[in-house]
Amino acid sequence: MRILSRFSCSLALVAAAAVLAGASPQPKVGELAPAFELTLIDGSKVSSDQLHGHVVVLNFWATWCGPCKQELPLLDAYYEAQKGHGLKVFAIATEDSLQPFQLKKLFAVMHMQSARRIKGPYAAMAGVPTNFIIDRAGRLRYAKANAFELGELNALLVPLLQEPVPAG
Protein backbone atom coordinates (compact mmCIF):
# COMPACT_ATOMS: atom_id res chain seq x y z
CA MET A 1 0.00 0.00 0.00
CA ARG A 2 2.86 2.34 0.87
CA ILE A 3 4.49 1.67 -2.54
CA LEU A 4 1.23 2.52 -4.29
CA SER A 5 1.01 5.77 -2.34
CA ARG A 6 4.58 6.73 -3.34
CA PHE A 7 3.78 5.86 -6.95
CA SER A 8 0.64 8.04 -6.87
CA CYS A 9 2.65 10.93 -5.40
CA SER A 10 5.32 10.49 -8.06
CA LEU A 11 2.70 10.59 -10.82
CA ALA A 12 1.17 13.73 -9.32
CA LEU A 13 4.58 15.39 -9.18
CA VAL A 14 5.33 14.49 -12.80
CA ALA A 15 1.94 15.84 -13.91
CA ALA A 16 2.44 19.05 -11.93
CA ALA A 17 5.94 19.50 -13.37
CA ALA A 18 4.56 19.11 -16.89
CA VAL A 19 1.90 21.76 -16.25
CA LEU A 20 4.43 24.14 -14.70
CA ALA A 21 6.86 23.58 -17.56
CA GLY A 22 4.13 24.59 -20.01
CA ALA A 23 3.80 21.18 -21.62
CA SER A 24 1.12 21.30 -24.27
CA PRO A 25 -1.43 18.56 -24.74
CA GLN A 26 -1.19 16.32 -27.79
CA PRO A 27 -3.31 17.69 -30.65
CA LYS A 28 -6.68 15.91 -30.87
CA VAL A 29 -8.82 15.73 -33.99
CA GLY A 30 -12.04 17.69 -33.53
CA GLU A 31 -10.60 20.06 -30.94
CA LEU A 32 -9.05 23.47 -31.38
CA ALA A 33 -5.53 23.02 -32.70
CA PRO A 34 -2.84 23.94 -30.16
CA ALA A 35 -0.81 27.03 -30.99
CA PHE A 36 2.46 26.63 -32.87
CA GLU A 37 5.28 28.67 -34.36
CA LEU A 38 7.21 27.61 -37.44
CA THR A 39 10.77 28.67 -38.19
CA LEU A 40 10.97 28.61 -41.97
CA ILE A 41 13.99 27.59 -44.00
CA ASP A 42 14.86 31.29 -44.55
CA GLY A 43 14.80 31.94 -40.78
CA SER A 44 11.51 33.85 -40.73
CA LYS A 45 8.74 32.79 -38.35
CA VAL A 46 5.05 32.07 -38.87
CA SER A 47 2.66 31.58 -35.97
CA SER A 48 -0.65 29.77 -35.96
CA ASP A 49 -2.35 33.10 -35.15
CA GLN A 50 -1.17 34.45 -38.51
CA LEU A 51 -2.82 31.53 -40.30
CA HIS A 52 -6.35 32.04 -38.93
CA GLY A 53 -8.84 31.86 -41.80
CA HIS A 54 -6.65 29.52 -43.87
CA VAL A 55 -6.75 25.76 -44.22
CA VAL A 56 -3.34 24.60 -43.03
CA VAL A 57 -1.46 21.38 -43.74
CA LEU A 58 1.56 20.60 -41.54
CA ASN A 59 3.55 17.87 -43.26
CA PHE A 60 6.39 16.15 -41.38
CA TRP A 61 8.79 14.44 -43.75
CA ALA A 62 12.35 13.17 -44.06
CA THR A 63 14.75 13.12 -46.98
CA TRP A 64 15.37 9.38 -46.53
CA CYS A 65 11.63 8.50 -46.57
CA GLY A 66 10.41 6.91 -49.82
CA PRO A 67 6.69 7.77 -49.35
CA CYS A 68 7.71 11.34 -48.44
CA LYS A 69 9.60 11.70 -51.72
CA GLN A 70 6.42 10.76 -53.59
CA GLU A 71 4.11 12.88 -51.45
CA LEU A 72 6.13 16.12 -51.44
CA PRO A 73 5.71 16.92 -55.17
CA LEU A 74 1.98 16.08 -54.90
CA LEU A 75 1.54 18.41 -51.92
CA ASP A 76 3.48 21.11 -53.73
CA ALA A 77 1.34 20.87 -56.87
CA TYR A 78 -1.83 20.76 -54.77
CA TYR A 79 -0.75 23.84 -52.86
CA GLU A 80 0.03 25.69 -56.09
CA ALA A 81 -3.44 24.86 -57.45
CA GLN A 82 -5.34 25.71 -54.25
CA LYS A 83 -3.39 28.53 -52.57
CA GLY A 84 -5.77 31.11 -54.07
CA HIS A 85 -8.57 29.42 -52.12
CA GLY A 86 -6.87 29.84 -48.75
CA LEU A 87 -4.62 26.77 -48.52
CA LYS A 88 -1.28 26.93 -46.72
CA VAL A 89 1.07 23.94 -46.74
CA PHE A 90 4.24 23.73 -44.66
CA ALA A 91 6.75 20.91 -45.08
CA ILE A 92 8.62 20.37 -41.83
CA ALA A 93 11.84 18.41 -42.21
CA THR A 94 12.59 16.00 -39.39
CA GLU A 95 15.85 16.42 -37.50
CA ASP A 96 17.47 13.50 -39.27
CA SER A 97 17.02 15.06 -42.72
CA LEU A 98 19.48 17.21 -44.65
CA GLN A 99 20.99 20.39 -43.29
CA PRO A 100 18.98 23.62 -43.90
CA PHE A 101 21.40 24.87 -46.58
CA GLN A 102 20.85 21.63 -48.51
CA LEU A 103 17.07 21.90 -48.15
CA LYS A 104 17.14 25.44 -49.60
CA LYS A 105 18.09 23.97 -52.99
CA LEU A 106 15.10 21.65 -52.94
CA PHE A 107 12.62 24.30 -51.86
CA ALA A 108 13.94 26.85 -54.33
CA VAL A 109 12.04 24.88 -57.00
CA MET A 110 8.93 24.25 -54.88
CA HIS A 111 6.01 26.56 -54.15
CA MET A 112 5.07 25.56 -50.60
CA GLN A 113 7.13 26.71 -47.67
CA SER A 114 9.58 24.57 -45.77
CA ALA A 115 10.20 24.78 -42.05
CA ARG A 116 13.29 23.75 -40.15
CA ARG A 117 11.42 23.42 -36.87
CA ILE A 118 8.13 23.87 -35.11
CA LYS A 119 7.42 24.98 -31.55
CA GLY A 120 4.30 23.37 -30.20
CA PRO A 121 2.97 19.87 -29.58
CA TYR A 122 3.22 18.73 -33.20
CA ALA A 123 5.63 16.03 -34.35
CA ALA A 124 5.83 12.98 -36.54
CA MET A 125 3.52 10.39 -35.02
CA ALA A 126 4.24 6.71 -35.74
CA GLY A 127 6.52 7.63 -38.63
CA VAL A 128 6.86 9.89 -41.61
CA PRO A 129 5.15 11.29 -43.43
CA THR A 130 2.79 12.61 -40.76
CA ASN A 131 0.15 15.17 -41.70
CA PHE A 132 -2.02 17.51 -39.67
CA ILE A 133 -4.88 19.49 -41.24
CA ILE A 134 -6.28 22.54 -39.46
CA ASP A 135 -9.47 24.19 -40.74
CA ARG A 136 -10.16 27.91 -41.20
CA ALA A 137 -11.52 28.22 -37.65
CA GLY A 138 -8.39 26.65 -36.12
CA ARG A 139 -9.86 23.21 -35.44
CA LEU A 140 -7.72 20.12 -36.03
CA ARG A 141 -9.52 18.03 -38.65
CA TYR A 142 -6.91 15.37 -39.46
CA ALA A 143 -3.82 13.91 -37.77
CA LYS A 144 -2.24 10.77 -39.14
CA ALA A 145 1.04 9.16 -40.14
CA ASN A 146 0.19 8.49 -43.75
CA ALA A 147 1.19 9.65 -47.22
CA PHE A 148 -1.56 11.46 -49.09
CA GLU A 149 -2.82 10.50 -52.53
CA LEU A 150 -4.69 12.97 -54.74
CA GLY A 151 -8.14 11.50 -54.06
CA GLU A 152 -7.60 11.71 -50.31
CA LEU A 153 -6.37 15.32 -50.54
CA ASN A 154 -9.49 16.25 -52.50
CA ALA A 155 -11.79 14.44 -50.08
CA LEU A 156 -10.22 16.10 -47.05
CA LEU A 157 -9.35 19.58 -48.30
CA VAL A 158 -11.98 20.61 -50.85
CA PRO A 159 -14.83 20.71 -48.28
CA LEU A 160 -12.64 22.70 -45.88
CA LEU A 161 -11.59 25.15 -48.59
CA GLN A 162 -15.28 25.69 -49.43
CA GLU A 163 -16.12 26.68 -45.84
CA PRO A 164 -16.49 30.42 -45.25
CA VAL A 165 -13.69 32.31 -43.54
CA PRO A 166 -14.76 32.82 -39.91
CA ALA A 167 -15.19 36.37 -38.63
CA GLY A 168 -12.58 37.75 -36.30
Side-chain angles (χ1 to χ4, degrees):
M1 185 69 159
R2 188 174 180 120
I3 292 173
L4 185 58
S5 177
R6 283 188 199 157
F7 180 71
S8 296
C9 287
S10 296
L11 282 178
L13 287 173
V14 168
V19 169
L20 290 174
S24 301
Q26 289 292 331
K28 292 185 179 147
V29 173
E31 295 182 1
L32 284 177
F36 62 87
E37 181 183 74
L38 295 162
T39 301
L40 302 180
I41 202 78
D42 65 4
S44 63
K45 297 187 186 286
V46 175
S47 73
S48 51
D49 290 342
Q50 295 171 291
L51 299 169
H52 184 76
H54 291 90
V55 174
V56 177
V57 176
L58 300 175
N59 170 258
F60 289 83
W61 69 285
T63 53
W64 49 262
C65 165
C68 299
K69 290 177 187 179
Q70 293 176 346
E71 181 185 52
L72 217 51
L74 173 65
L75 279 173
D76 189 57
Y78 202 88
Y79 167 70
E80 182 63 14
Q82 297 294 339
K83 67 182 178 185
H85 300 284
L87 180 65
K88 297 283 188 179
V89 178
F90 297 93
I92 304 153
T94 59
E95 291 181 12
D96 54 352
S97 285
L98 298 174
Q99 294 296 316
F101 75 91
Q102 294 167 308
L103 292 175
K104 283 183 183 180
K105 295 174 191 172
L106 170 66
F107 281 92
V109 297
M110 299 190 89
H111 301 96
M112 65 183 172
Q113 294 182 298
S114 176
R116 330 182 205 192
R117 69 181 153 270
I118 185 168
K119 284 185 188 174
Y122 299 88
M125 296 169 97
V128 288
T130 291
N131 291 286
F132 295 90
I133 298 175
I134 302 168
D135 69 15
R136 294 181 189 277
R139 191 164 299 281
L140 185 64
R141 301 293 282 272
Y142 179 93
K144 198 172 187 180
N146 183 42
F148 285 129
E149 293 182 10
L150 182 58
E152 188 176 20
L153 280 174
N154 283 328
L156 291 165
L157 294 176
V158 169
L160 298 179
L161 290 168
Q162 292 175 342
E163 291 179 356
V165 176

mmCIF file of all heavy atoms in Angstrom, residues 62-86:
data_model
loop_
_atom_site.group_PDB
_atom_site.id
_atom_site.type_symbol
_atom_site.label_atom_id
_atom_site.label_comp_id
_atom_site.label_asym_id
_atom_site.label_seq_id
_atom_site.Cartn_x
_atom_site.Cartn_y
_atom_site.Cartn_z
ATOM 1 N N ALA A 62 10.903 13.368 -44.165
ATOM 2 C CA ALA A 62 12.348 13.171 -44.056
ATOM 3 C C ALA A 62 12.902 12.884 -45.443
ATOM 4 O O ALA A 62 12.230 12.275 -46.281
ATOM 5 C CB ALA A 62 12.666 12.008 -43.113
ATOM 6 N N THR A 63 14.125 13.297 -45.664
ATOM 7 C CA THR A 63 14.748 13.118 -46.979
ATOM 8 C C THR A 63 14.973 11.646 -47.311
ATOM 9 O O THR A 63 15.000 11.274 -48.479
ATOM 10 C CB THR A 63 16.099 13.867 -47.050
ATOM 11 O OG1 THR A 63 16.909 13.467 -45.948
ATOM 12 C CG2 THR A 63 15.881 15.362 -47.002
ATOM 13 N N TRP A 64 15.116 10.796 -46.318
ATOM 14 C CA TRP A 64 15.373 9.380 -46.534
ATOM 15 C C TRP A 64 14.092 8.563 -46.707
ATOM 16 O O TRP A 64 14.134 7.373 -46.991
ATOM 17 C CB TRP A 64 16.174 8.803 -45.368
ATOM 18 C CG TRP A 64 15.606 9.161 -44.029
ATOM 19 C CD1 TRP A 64 16.017 10.173 -43.214
ATOM 20 C CD2 TRP A 64 14.507 8.534 -43.353
ATOM 21 N NE1 TRP A 64 15.237 10.223 -42.074
ATOM 22 C CE2 TRP A 64 14.299 9.220 -42.146
ATOM 23 C CE3 TRP A 64 13.678 7.472 -43.667
ATOM 24 C CZ2 TRP A 64 13.300 8.881 -41.238
ATOM 25 C CZ3 TRP A 64 12.675 7.126 -42.768
ATOM 26 C CH2 TRP A 64 12.510 7.825 -41.568
ATOM 27 N N CYS A 65 12.936 9.188 -46.567
ATOM 28 C CA CYS A 65 11.635 8.503 -46.567
ATOM 29 C C CYS A 65 11.079 8.382 -47.980
ATOM 30 O O CYS A 65 10.784 9.390 -48.629
ATOM 31 C CB CYS A 65 10.680 9.296 -45.668
ATOM 32 S SG CYS A 65 8.942 8.889 -45.846
ATOM 33 N N GLY A 66 10.932 7.151 -48.475
ATOM 34 C CA GLY A 66 10.406 6.913 -49.818
ATOM 35 C C GLY A 66 9.015 7.492 -50.040
ATOM 36 O O GLY A 66 8.794 8.219 -51.014
ATOM 37 N N PRO A 67 8.024 7.188 -49.165
ATOM 38 C CA PRO A 67 6.691 7.767 -49.355
ATOM 39 C C PRO A 67 6.701 9.306 -49.308
ATOM 40 O O PRO A 67 5.917 9.948 -49.994
ATOM 41 C CB PRO A 67 5.875 7.178 -48.206
ATOM 42 C CG PRO A 67 6.564 5.897 -47.872
ATOM 43 C CD PRO A 67 8.029 6.167 -48.104
ATOM 44 N N CYS A 68 7.607 9.875 -48.518
ATOM 45 C CA CYS A 68 7.708 11.338 -48.441
ATOM 46 C C CYS A 68 8.149 11.914 -49.787
ATOM 47 O O CYS A 68 7.655 12.958 -50.219
ATOM 48 C CB CYS A 68 8.711 11.768 -47.372
ATOM 49 S SG CYS A 68 8.313 11.244 -45.700
ATOM 50 N N LYS A 69 9.085 11.233 -50.426
ATOM 51 C CA LYS A 69 9.599 11.703 -51.720
ATOM 52 C C LYS A 69 8.505 11.706 -52.780
ATOM 53 O O LYS A 69 8.524 12.519 -53.701
ATOM 54 C CB LYS A 69 10.773 10.835 -52.179
ATOM 55 C CG LYS A 69 12.018 11.020 -51.346
ATOM 56 C CD LYS A 69 13.106 10.071 -51.809
ATOM 57 C CE LYS A 69 14.305 10.104 -50.877
ATOM 58 N NZ LYS A 69 15.352 9.167 -51.296
ATOM 59 N N GLN A 70 7.544 10.788 -52.663
ATOM 60 C CA GLN A 70 6.417 10.760 -53.593
ATOM 61 C C GLN A 70 5.366 11.790 -53.207
ATOM 62 O O GLN A 70 4.741 12.392 -54.075
ATOM 63 C CB GLN A 70 5.797 9.367 -53.622
ATOM 64 C CG GLN A 70 6.713 8.324 -54.215
ATOM 65 C CD GLN A 70 6.119 6.933 -54.154
ATOM 66 O OE1 GLN A 70 5.144 6.679 -53.465
ATOM 67 N NE2 GLN A 70 6.728 6.010 -54.879
ATOM 68 N N GLU A 71 5.163 11.984 -51.929
ATOM 69 C CA GLU A 71 4.108 12.878 -51.450
ATOM 70 C C GLU A 71 4.472 14.357 -51.615
ATOM 71 O O GLU A 71 3.601 15.177 -51.924
ATOM 72 C CB GLU A 71 3.815 12.579 -49.975
ATOM 73 C CG GLU A 71 2.713 13.445 -49.397
ATOM 74 C CD GLU A 71 2.527 13.212 -47.920
ATOM 75 O OE1 GLU A 71 3.519 13.283 -47.168
ATOM 76 O OE2 GLU A 71 1.375 12.964 -47.522
ATOM 77 N N LEU A 72 5.718 14.718 -51.417
ATOM 78 C CA LEU A 72 6.131 16.120 -51.444
ATOM 79 C C LEU A 72 5.785 16.824 -52.756
ATOM 80 O O LEU A 72 5.178 17.904 -52.723
ATOM 81 C CB LEU A 72 7.628 16.216 -51.139
ATOM 82 C CG LEU A 72 8.105 17.390 -50.304
ATOM 83 C CD1 LEU A 72 7.331 17.563 -49.021
ATOM 84 C CD2 LEU A 72 9.587 17.258 -50.015
ATOM 85 N N PRO A 73 6.100 16.250 -53.921
ATOM 86 C CA PRO A 73 5.706 16.923 -55.170
ATOM 87 C C PRO A 73 4.186 17.028 -55.327
ATOM 88 O O PRO A 73 3.688 18.017 -55.864
ATOM 89 C CB PRO A 73 6.305 16.044 -56.266
ATOM 90 C CG PRO A 73 7.342 15.215 -55.601
ATOM 91 C CD PRO A 73 6.923 15.074 -54.164
ATOM 92 N N LEU A 74 3.438 16.032 -54.853
ATOM 93 C CA LEU A 74 1.980 16.077 -54.903
ATOM 94 C C LEU A 74 1.456 17.223 -54.036
ATOM 95 O O LEU A 74 0.618 18.011 -54.473
ATOM 96 C CB LEU A 74 1.378 14.747 -54.443
ATOM 97 C CG LEU A 74 -0.145 14.730 -54.292
ATOM 98 C CD1 LEU A 74 -0.833 14.934 -55.633
ATOM 99 C CD2 LEU A 74 -0.593 13.430 -53.636
ATOM 100 N N LEU A 75 1.961 17.314 -52.810
ATOM 101 C CA LEU A 75 1.541 18.408 -51.923
ATOM 102 C C LEU A 75 1.894 19.762 -52.516
ATOM 103 O O LEU A 75 1.113 20.717 -52.420
ATOM 104 C CB LEU A 75 2.198 18.271 -50.542
ATOM 105 C CG LEU A 75 1.557 17.297 -49.574
ATOM 106 C CD1 LEU A 75 2.413 17.155 -48.327
ATOM 107 C CD2 LEU A 75 0.161 17.734 -49.210
ATOM 108 N N ASP A 76 3.055 19.857 -53.124
ATOM 109 C CA ASP A 76 3.480 21.115 -53.729
ATOM 110 C C ASP A 76 2.552 21.512 -54.879
ATOM 111 O O ASP A 76 2.116 22.665 -54.966
ATOM 112 C CB ASP A 76 4.924 21.009 -54.211
ATOM 113 C CG ASP A 76 5.477 22.346 -54.653
ATOM 114 O OD1 ASP A 76 5.473 23.294 -53.838
ATOM 115 O OD2 ASP A 76 5.898 22.463 -55.816
ATOM 116 N N ALA A 77 2.237 20.578 -55.749
ATOM 117 C CA ALA A 77 1.340 20.867 -56.871
ATOM 118 C C ALA A 77 -0.062 21.198 -56.367
ATOM 119 O O ALA A 77 -0.718 22.111 -56.884
ATOM 120 C CB ALA A 77 1.296 19.672 -57.825
ATOM 121 N N TYR A 78 -0.514 20.500 -55.336
ATOM 122 C CA TYR A 78 -1.832 20.755 -54.767
ATOM 123 C C TYR A 78 -1.879 22.156 -54.158
ATOM 124 O O TYR A 78 -2.840 22.894 -54.351
ATOM 125 C CB TYR A 78 -2.185 19.693 -53.719
ATOM 126 C CG TYR A 78 -3.663 19.592 -53.491
ATOM 127 C CD1 TYR A 78 -4.437 18.743 -54.275
ATOM 128 C CD2 TYR A 78 -4.293 20.334 -52.508
ATOM 129 C CE1 TYR A 78 -5.801 18.648 -54.082
ATOM 130 C CE2 TYR A 78 -5.661 20.247 -52.312
ATOM 131 C CZ TYR A 78 -6.408 19.402 -53.105
ATOM 132 O OH TYR A 78 -7.761 19.321 -52.923
ATOM 133 N N TYR A 79 -0.835 22.501 -53.432
ATOM 134 C CA TYR A 79 -0.750 23.839 -52.857
ATOM 135 C C TYR A 79 -0.790 24.904 -53.950
ATOM 136 O O TYR A 79 -1.532 25.883 -53.854
ATOM 137 C CB TYR A 79 0.522 23.989 -52.018
ATOM 138 C CG TYR A 79 0.810 25.423 -51.669
ATOM 139 C CD1 TYR A 79 0.005 26.104 -50.774
ATOM 140 C CD2 TYR A 79 1.862 26.107 -52.270
ATOM 141 C CE1 TYR A 79 0.244 27.439 -50.478
ATOM 142 C CE2 TYR A 79 2.102 27.427 -51.980
ATOM 143 C CZ TYR A 79 1.287 28.093 -51.078
ATOM 144 O OH TYR A 79 1.517 29.408 -50.797
ATOM 145 N N GLU A 80 -0.018 24.717 -54.999
ATOM 146 C CA GLU A 80 0.035 25.692 -56.091
ATOM 147 C C GLU A 80 -1.352 25.874 -56.711
ATOM 148 O O GLU A 80 -1.749 26.989 -57.035
ATOM 149 C CB GLU A 80 1.062 25.256 -57.147
ATOM 150 C CG GLU A 80 1.227 26.225 -58.283
ATOM 151 C CD GLU A 80 1.756 27.597 -57.875
ATOM 152 O OE1 GLU A 80 2.259 27.784 -56.757
ATOM 153 O OE2 GLU A 80 1.654 28.513 -58.717
ATOM 154 N N ALA A 81 -2.105 24.791 -56.847
ATOM 155 C CA ALA A 81 -3.437 24.862 -57.449
ATOM 156 C C ALA A 81 -4.480 25.459 -56.515
ATOM 157 O O ALA A 81 -5.441 26.079 -56.973
ATOM 158 C CB ALA A 81 -3.875 23.463 -57.887
ATOM 159 N N GLN A 82 -4.297 25.312 -55.203
ATOM 160 C CA GLN A 82 -5.337 25.707 -54.252
ATOM 161 C C GLN A 82 -4.979 26.901 -53.365
ATOM 162 O O GLN A 82 -5.818 27.346 -52.583
ATOM 163 C CB GLN A 82 -5.697 24.517 -53.354
ATOM 164 C CG GLN A 82 -6.291 23.339 -54.093
ATOM 165 C CD GLN A 82 -7.651 23.651 -54.704
ATOM 166 O OE1 GLN A 82 -8.349 24.570 -54.311
ATOM 167 N NE2 GLN A 82 -8.034 22.876 -55.698
ATOM 168 N N LYS A 83 -3.784 27.447 -53.472
ATOM 169 C CA LYS A 83 -3.388 28.535 -52.567
ATOM 170 C C LYS A 83 -4.300 29.751 -52.696
ATOM 171 O O LYS A 83 -4.533 30.459 -51.720
ATOM 172 C CB LYS A 83 -1.925 28.915 -52.773
ATOM 173 C CG LYS A 83 -1.603 29.544 -54.106
ATOM 174 C CD LYS A 83 -0.122 29.830 -54.215
ATOM 175 C CE LYS A 83 0.194 30.427 -55.579
ATOM 176 N NZ LYS A 83 1.633 30.594 -55.753
ATOM 177 N N GLY A 84 -4.845 29.991 -53.871
ATOM 178 C CA GLY A 84 -5.766 31.110 -54.068
ATOM 179 C C GLY A 84 -7.082 30.931 -53.335
ATOM 180 O O GLY A 84 -7.847 31.884 -53.187
ATOM 181 N N HIS A 85 -7.342 29.715 -52.862
ATOM 182 C CA HIS A 85 -8.573 29.425 -52.122
ATOM 183 C C HIS A 85 -8.342 29.366 -50.615
ATOM 184 O O HIS A 85 -9.216 28.926 -49.871
ATOM 185 C CB HIS A 85 -9.181 28.109 -52.620
ATOM 186 C CG HIS A 85 -9.524 28.142 -54.067
ATOM 187 N ND1 HIS A 85 -10.629 28.801 -54.572
ATOM 188 C CD2 HIS A 85 -8.880 27.626 -55.142
ATOM 189 C CE1 HIS A 85 -10.650 28.690 -55.884
ATOM 190 N NE2 HIS A 85 -9.597 27.979 -56.261
ATOM 191 N N GLY A 86 -7.139 29.774 -50.186
ATOM 192 C CA GLY A 86 -6.865 29.836 -48.751
ATOM 193 C C GLY A 86 -6.094 28.668 -48.177
ATOM 194 O O GLY A 86 -6.082 28.470 -46.966
#
